């Protein structure tokens, strides 16, 4: 988040809390992982200062057997307590994500099959063309090594061209999506690419 908003240590920001504007200085950053669904916040105040402003307490509880928990008795002890069952929402979200995963998997499978069909057809056509091309090279007096070398050079040029074109459209597409749809700052981090490549090679070798 700090990178997206171009925030640095020592910057001053202003928050409006119940109509009162409060200035704060950024003294440190921390890494937050929201995937574990534990309580976490994007900003943390000095506890001594936070006690002076209106606030509420927030907590999470996990029960081994939720059926034994009596909400009525809890509300009798703490009448101002508000309870939200996250498990119900998680089940709904999980169900939706599972359906999305299945749909994406099917679409990806169909795309891969179509791609393989197109590639195989292109290879067959290219093979026929290469037969006539090699025949012409032999008629012109090219040796077998020269024909193989020319085919290798042609393959390298096509391979590099396809990679560069794919990278170009991937970068342009990701930049457009991040800046126009998600409204985030886009940046190309080569360290992440190197780490991902290293992890992939390690997993393949393992």
């Amino acid at each position: 988040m700090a990178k997206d908003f171009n925030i640095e240590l020592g910057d001053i920001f202003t928050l409006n809390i119940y109509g009162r504007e409060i200035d704060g200085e950024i003294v440190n950053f921390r890494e937050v992982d929201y995937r574990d669904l534990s309580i976490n916040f994007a900003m943390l105040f000095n506890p001594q200062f936070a006690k002076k402003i209106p606030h509420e307490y927030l907590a999470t509880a996990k029960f081994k057997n939720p059926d034994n928990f009596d909400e009525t008795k809890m509300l009798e002890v703490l009448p101002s307590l508000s309870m939200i069952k996250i498990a119900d929402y998680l089940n709904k979200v999980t169900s939706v994500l599972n359906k999305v995963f299945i749909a994406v998997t099917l679409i990806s499978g169909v795309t891969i099959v179509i791609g393989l069909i197109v590639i195989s057809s292109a290879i067959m056509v290219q093979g026929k063309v290469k037969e006539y091309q090699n025949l012409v090279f032999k008629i012109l007096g090219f040796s077998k090594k020269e024909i193989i070398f020319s085919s290798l050079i042609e393959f390298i040029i096509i391979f590099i061209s396809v990679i560069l074109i794919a990278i170009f459209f991937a970068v342009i597409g990701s930049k457009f999506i991040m800046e126009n749809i998600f409204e985030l700052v886009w940046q190309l981090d080569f360290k992440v690419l190197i780490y991902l490549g290293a992890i992939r090679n390690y997993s393949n070798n393992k």
Side-chain angles (χ1 to χ4, degrees), residues 8-95:
E8 298 180 355
L9 294 177
D11 289 349
I12 304 297
F13 62 93
T14 303
L15 296 178
N16 190 312
I17 302 178
Y18 290 97
R20 176 185 174 187
E21 292 188 352
I22 299 175
D23 294 332
E25 180 182 355
I26 299 176
V27 295
N28 56 52
F29 294 116
R30 63 193 182 96
E31 185 176 355
V32 180
D33 188 1
Y34 292 100
R35 292 176 296 181
D36 58 357
L37 299 178
S38 60
I39 296 179
N40 236 317
F41 300 94
M43 296 182 183
L44 294 180
F45 283 93
N46 185 332
Q48 297 298 328
F49 172 76
K51 292 180 180 179
K52 301 177 182 179
I53 59 178
H55 61 276
E56 297 177 352
Y57 292 99
L58 181 66
T60 57
K62 185 177 181 180
F63 303 96
K64 294 182 179 179
N65 191 357
D67 296 332
N68 295 333
F69 175 69
D70 192 346
E71 299 180 8
T72 304
K73 292 183 179 180
M74 177 66 74
L75 292 175
E76 290 177 356
V77 178
L78 300 172
S80 61
L81 182 67
S82 298
M83 291 184 292
I84 301 175
K85 291 184 178 180
I86 302 179
D88 297 337
Y89 296 98
L90 289 179
N91 292 332
K92 294 180 180 179
V93 172
T94 303
S95 177

Side-chain angles (χ1 to χ4, degrees), residues 104-119:
V104 171
T105 302
L106 292 176
I107 294 173
S108 301
V110 172
T111 303
I112 292 173
V113 171
I114 294 175
L116 291 175
I117 294 174
V118 173
I119 292 174

Side-chain angles (χ1 to χ4, degrees), residues 42-199:
M43 296 182 183
L44 294 180
F45 283 93
N46 185 332
Q48 297 298 328
F49 172 76
K51 292 180 180 179
K52 301 177 182 179
I53 59 178
H55 61 276
E56 297 177 352
Y57 292 99
L58 181 66
T60 57
K62 185 177 181 180
F63 303 96
K64 294 182 179 179
N65 191 357
D67 296 332
N68 295 333
F69 175 69
D70 192 346
E71 299 180 8
T72 304
K73 292 183 179 180
M74 177 66 74
L75 292 175
E76 290 177 356
V77 178
L78 300 172
S80 61
L81 182 67
S82 298
M83 291 184 292
I84 301 175
K85 291 184 178 180
I86 302 179
D88 297 337
Y89 296 98
L90 289 179
N91 292 332
K92 294 180 180 179
V93 172
T94 303
S95 177
V96 173
L97 291 179
N98 289 335
K99 294 179 181 179
V100 172
F101 175 76
I102 294 174
V104 171
T105 302
L106 292 176
I107 294 173
S108 301
V110 172
T111 303
I112 292 173
V113 171
I114 294 175
L116 291 175
I117 294 174
V118 173
I119 292 174
S120 60
S121 301
I123 292 175
M124 293 176 62
V125 173
Q126 188 66 20
K128 294 293 183 180
V129 174
K130 292 297 293 183
E131 289 181 2
Y132 293 107
Q133 182 178 334
N134 294 338
L135 180 60
V136 172
F137 284 159
K138 288 183 179 180
I139 294 175
L140 294 176
F142 285 86
S143 63
K144 185 176 181 180
K145 291 182 179 180
E146 291 175 339
I147 295 175
I148 295 175
F149 182 74
S150 64
S151 299
L152 181 62
I153 295 298
E154 180 182 358
F155 171 77
I156 293 175
I157 293 174
I158 295 175
F159 182 74
I160 294 176
S161 301
V162 171
I163 290 178
L164 293 178
I165 293 173
I167 292 175
F168 174 77
F169 283 104
V171 170
I172 296 299
S174 62
K175 181 178 176 62
F176 176 81
I177 292 173
M178 292 298 293
E179 293 184 349
N180 295 276
I181 297 178
F182 294 103
E183 297 182 353
L184 298 174
V185 177
W186 180 91
Q187 61 179 1
L188 183 61
D189 195 341
F190 290 100
K191 292 182 180 179
V192 175
L193 297 178
I194 295 173
Y195 291 153
L196 291 176
I199 293 173

